[in-house]
Each structure stands twice: as structure tokens, then as C-alpha cells.
Amino acid sequence: MDNETHIRVRYAPSPTGRLHVGGVRTALFNWLFARKNGGTFVLRIEDTDLERSTEESVEQLERSMRWIGLDWDEGPEVGGPHPPYRQTERFDLYREAAKKLLDSGAAYYDFATPEELAWLRERARAEGRQPIYTGGEYREMDPDEAGERIQAGQPYTVRFKTPREGQTVVQDMIRGPVTFENANLEDFVLMKSTDTPTYNFAAAFDDAEMEISHVIRGDDHLSNTPRQILIHEALGNPLPAFAHVPQVLGPDKKKLSKRHGAASVEDFAERGYLPEALFNYLALLGAGYAADEEIFTPEELAERFRIDRVSGNPAILDEKKLRSVNAVYLRRKSPEELAALAAPMLVESGALTEEELGRDRARLANIMALLKERIALTTEIPDSVGYFYGGSLDYDEDEFENQFGKEFVRENFPELVERLTALPEWTETAIEEAVRGLAAEREKGARHLIHPLRFAVTGRTVSAGLFETMQLLGRERSLLRAGDAARKMQRLSV
RNA sequence: GGCCCCAUCGUCUAGAGGCCAAGGACAUCGCCCUCUCACGGCGAAAACCCGGGUUCGAAUCCCGGUGGGGUCACCA
């Protein structure tokens, strides 16, 4: 493949917390774009903020990416031709580049103190001007004098000498050309007084060094892009193409955050969403796919992905829809897959022990087959499966009275239990015949027996079909609970 | 506030000047299936932000307003 046109994209998160779904979505778009075009997807850790970056976040981030199904061709763990892939390990590279900019006159040493800068900003605000710092006396200071000050130990930053006139145009693949007046851009910092790079400098430098052809990122970076373009030009780098994808918002149209319930990949995982469902939903969100279908594999998504179709609109995450997509994925799973998913959750919830589980793996699969159309989130599993295990149940008093207080039930339930006990074989059809038979003899609708029986054996008013449920519950357990209910019924005051 | 982006049903969207009395999906509401709940099937309600242009003709193009979002750090 032609190296000049080889597509290389990157996702460059800063490890300062959990991976936000807005973040994974842009990672997803990068991944999709790379897969679609036979390109390379690079992961780069932007940890230049020593204060906020943590090792734990790096691990969490990589774990979240892998969980949802995003693998990277180059980056931490996997390596690649442009190492290292963590900015804190690339400081020498930035220092060298800063030197180059200083030598060419594209940048300068700035000795203004933070207090001075704050005062300048304040005064600008008081006078109703925009605070645009242009370096004052330092911008054109004689290099020798600057050198002397540095020798004397005076702290400094390195700033970019932003042109005071003209415009910088971002050619955005989603929005078209976006024009910025250079006069509105200040002389931004390239190197901090700690001799470490700022985001704009490190990002622009790395994108060029790593030969990134397309920068696809959140639109919160759109206003940074003219600065990065200026850096690229000063460094003599070819410009990558840009695409700025919108944020993911909560239902109140504010940036999605924890107070909306869930905002990070881990939050959604904890709430019972499947990785493939989150992947599918997020990839569809605001991506401008044709609307006739909505369930796609990552491969299908990649095949159809078009960056220029991505909407410029902020996208509101609709958890109801995510939930329904999740339910589809749950339903599509085989009973065995669902059993594997459910097993650890059931053990953790205390519904059963490891041994019990190991003894009857097939039964769990059968239970899941019965339940899978009734759950939308994996977190619903323990509650909906729990009554298939264990012995006697604690009945809700009010509901018990509601179910067993009726005269017909009081008169016939004991007989029903007897007939069930006498059943020669415990099968769905045998149970059904017993129940319907008795109801027919008493000239009543079967539902008058079915509902209390359901409540007796499951402890709840809703479940899968009663007869198949009872077969799976097993004779012993069903009869135990039915007997419990019959006795409890006797004690009910009339 | 300055700068920038954006604007079709509640939400995600289809729509690239006539095919649109605007289509789909989720959610909502009915009906059917039925032992309950789901699943499934059928159906209903629901949108082109406003105002000016351009044009024979605009949801689609232009301008303005309004609204929403982003960003204004030695954070990324």
C-alpha cells in the first residue's frame, strides 16, 4: 500500500478518570474509519498533566476499550513504529521540537509570571476587552537577553508567536471549512515552566511524528485546531485532515455526566449493558447510518461507516433505546452463553453456590432460555432467576392474601396440590393437564388456579409460562412451595 | 460576553430544490396473541425553530433572529 495515502488515525485520551462514553464514541469512530479503509488505529496516552493523570486510569481506560471491543494496532502494550505511545515518555522529543521553533523564531521565551498574566486578564476584563496575550516585551526580546535571564534562573514558558493578522482555516470533514481570525488567538504556551509540553504542542507534534492522516476527535477541540495547524505549519509538517465529532449529551442537553446515572463505560457495564450493545448503540448515535436497520455487527458498522455522514449535532443519549438494543442482544444469545453470563452473578448474589451450579449447568441454560425474552439488562438476572433455586419462599403478606383470600382458591387449592403430588411424571404437559382438569371440573377458568399457583411456587405475580416454569423448578421444590402456601392459606383469617 | 459549531416527531435519524399531504427505529398509547409478564403481529398519535429572501417550486440554497452546544488556563 502507498505509504503517502495510508490511513492512520488515533484516539488520544488523557488518563484522568473513567472512560466517558463520549470518548469511546470518538474512539469508535476512529476505529470504524480505520477498519473501513484498511487503515491503522493508534492509541496514544496523553498524560502530560502530571497532576491529574494516574496509572490506574490508564489501566482502566485500556480495560474499557478492550471490553467494548476496540483493539488498537499501535500503542501501549502492542507497540509500533513510533514509540513510545505515552507522552510522558516523549518529553525529549517535545523539547527538541520547541528548540527548533525557538531557533526559527516561530516561538519565544516568555518571562511573564502567573500573577502578571492574571492581572493582565483582569484588566482586560475590566476594560471590556478580550484577554488576548501577545507576549508584550518578550515577544521580540533579544535572544541574548533571554539567555541571560534563563542563566539567572528566571522561570519562563515557551510561547508560540501567533500571527497577528490573517486567518487560519480548519478544513473539517464533517463541517466544511471553519475560519478563525488569527487576531483572536493569543500567543499560547508550548512548553510550561516545568519544561514539559502543553496539550496543543504535544498533540500536534505527535500527530505529525506518528504520521496521523486523519484527526477524528471531540468537537470540544475544534477551537484548538487552528493553534495546532499553526504549529504544524511552523514545524513544516504536512497537515492531517480533521473531523470534529459532537459530544454526547444527557436528556437535559447537558454534557452527559455521572449525575445522569451513568457516563463512563464502566458505569454502563455495571448497570447491566452488554459490550456489543453499547458498541452498536454508540456507533449508531449521530453517525448518520441509514435508518432502516439498527442492529449491526462491528464489521457491518465498519463497512457502512462514512465520516462525512456523521452529524454535526450534539447527540442525546437515550437510555431507553440503549436498553432496547441491549435486550435484542440478550435475546440473541444462546442459552449456554446466557448461563455463562448468569452463573457468576448468581453465585455473587448468593442464590446458589459454586457446587450447586457445577452440578446442574444444563438446567441453568434451560432457565435462561425461558427468561431471556423477559430481561433487558444483565443486572436483572439474579432477581429473575433466584426463585429457581433454594427452598421455601417468603411471601408478601398483602399479595398472598390477595391471591389466596378468594373462596374458590381456598376451597380448591388443597385438592390441586394433592393432584400435583400424585402426578406420575413431572412434565409440563402433565402439570398443565392437572391444573386445567381441576378447573374444568369445577367449571371455572384455569386462570383462577394458575395465578395463585404461580404465586405459590415463584413468590411473584409475573413469570414465564407457569407450566414450563414448574417443570424447570422441579417436582420437589414446586410441591414444597405449593404445600407451604396451602398451609399458610389455612391460617388466613376469613 | 468574544470566538466557533449546530437546528426534521420526546430521542436517534431518512431526506442532498419537485418522488414529502415528510419515511424508519426506540419510547408512548390502543388492539390481537395469551395463565401473568415479556416476545411477536397490527394500528394510532407525534416533527421540518421563527422571519425574510432566491426560485415556477424549499425541510432541502442564502441572510437575519431565536434556541442549544462547545471554547476562551503554564487542563486536556
Side-chain angles (χ1 to χ4, degrees), chain A residues 76 101 117 378 383 394 485:
Chain A
L101 257 20
L117 294 170
T378 59
D383 183 56
D394 286 327

Side-chain angles (χ1 to χ4, degrees), chain A residues 33 82 112 224-225 235 253 385:
Chain A
F33 186 72
H82 298 275
N224 278 319
T225 305
L235 249 17
K253 298 193 177 180
V385 173

Side-chain angles (χ1 to χ4, degrees), chain A residues 17 44 59 75 107 146 193 240 261 293 299 315 327 342 350 407 453 460 493:
Chain A
R44 182 174 74 221
E59 285 161 21
S193 56
E293 281 177 85
E299 291 67 34
E407 202 186 324
L453 218 210
R460 52 190 61 209
S493 54

Side-chain angles (χ1 to χ4, degrees), chain A residues 20-312:
Chain A
H20 192 271
V21 289
V24 246
R25 191 176 69 124
T26 84
L28 221 53
F29 287 171
N30 275 284
W31 186 92
L32 256 12
F33 186 72
R35 290 293 169 272
K36 155 86 176 232
N37 298 297
T40 303
F41 177 53
V42 179
L43 177 65
R44 182 174 74 221
I45 306 296
E46 306 216 324
D47 54 353
T48 55
D49 185 344
L50 278 3
E51 305 278 302
R52 298 196 302 147
S53 300
T54 68
E55 198 49 42
E56 192 200 344
S57 292
V58 175
E59 285 161 21
Q60 207 165 38
L61 197 145
E62 292 181 14
R63 211 184 313 127
S64 288
M65 294 215 11
R66 291 205 167 96
W67 177 81
I68 203 171
L70 290 177
D71 52 334
W72 49 99
D73 307 309
E74 286 177 31
E77 320 297 320
V78 305
H82 298 275
Y85 290 90
R86 291 174 69 139
Q87 292 188 325
T88 42
E89 294 168 14
R90 299 170 64 84
F91 282 164
D92 289 344
L93 261 19
Y94 309 129
R95 285 173 190 142
E96 203 178 304
K99 187 78 183 38
K100 192 172 151 192
L101 257 20
L102 251 5
D103 289 345
S104 73
Y108 62 94
Y109 293 108
D110 178 52
F111 298 96
T113 64
E115 294 72 33
E116 266 179 84
L117 294 170
W119 181 79
L120 247 24
R121 264 195 295 273
E122 209 168 298
R123 197 181 63 174
R125 195 170 338 121
E127 292 172 7
R129 287 181 293 111
Q130 290 305 309
I132 295 169
Y133 183 69
T134 52
E137 58 180 308
Y138 309 118
R139 182 166 159 129
E140 304 299 342
M141 179 176 274
D142 182 74
D144 292 338
E145 190 187 339
E148 281 166 30
R149 285 177 180 246
I150 292 168
Q151 280 301 316
Q154 204 173 330
Y156 63 89
T157 59
V158 176
R159 282 185 189 264
F160 189 80
K161 204 179 282 181
T162 305
R164 303 276 27 108
E165 292 174 348
Q167 340 180 281
T168 299
V169 180
V170 178
Q171 294 296 344
D172 191 281
M173 292 185 282
I174 297 174
R175 300 153 209 275
V178 181
T179 305
F180 294 86
E181 292 294 333
N182 292 152
N184 289 330
L185 266 30
E186 70 175 358
D187 286 359
F188 49 95
V189 173
L190 261 18
M191 295 295 285
K192 306 175 195 174
S193 56
T194 51
D195 202 27
T196 59
T198 58
Y199 158 74
N200 277 120
F201 187 44
F205 176 85
D206 284 344
D207 285 340
E209 198 279 333
M210 294 181 178
E211 301 182 87
I212 299 303
S213 62
H214 300 256
V215 173
I216 302 171
R217 71 202 344 173
D219 70 358
D220 48 335
H221 287 302
L222 182 51
S223 60
N224 278 319
T225 305
R227 295 177 238 276
Q228 296 186 14
I229 288 176
L230 256 13
I231 292 171
H232 278 124
E233 287 172 345
L235 249 17
N237 295 330
L239 239 42
F242 292 97
H244 290 90
V245 316
Q247 315 278 75
V248 174
L249 272 29
D252 57 355
K253 298 193 177 180
K254 299 284 178 229
K255 192 170 163 163
L256 190 73
S257 70
K258 195 63 196 268
R259 78 194 151 75
H260 290 109
S264 70
V265 172
E266 293 198 344
D267 289 340
F268 283 95
E270 285 164 11
R271 296 185 110 201
Y273 290 97
L274 260 15
E276 52 270 49
L278 226 207
F279 187 111
N280 192 148
Y281 176 75
L282 251 19
L284 245 34
L285 189 62
Y289 284 98
D292 52 347
E293 281 177 85
E294 53 170 8
I295 303 297
F296 297 104
T297 63
E299 291 67 34
E300 291 169 328
L301 253 6
E303 205 175 297
R304 291 155 213 243
F305 184 74
R306 290 232 268 120
I307 188 69
D308 57 309
R309 298 278 311 176
V310 172
S311 165

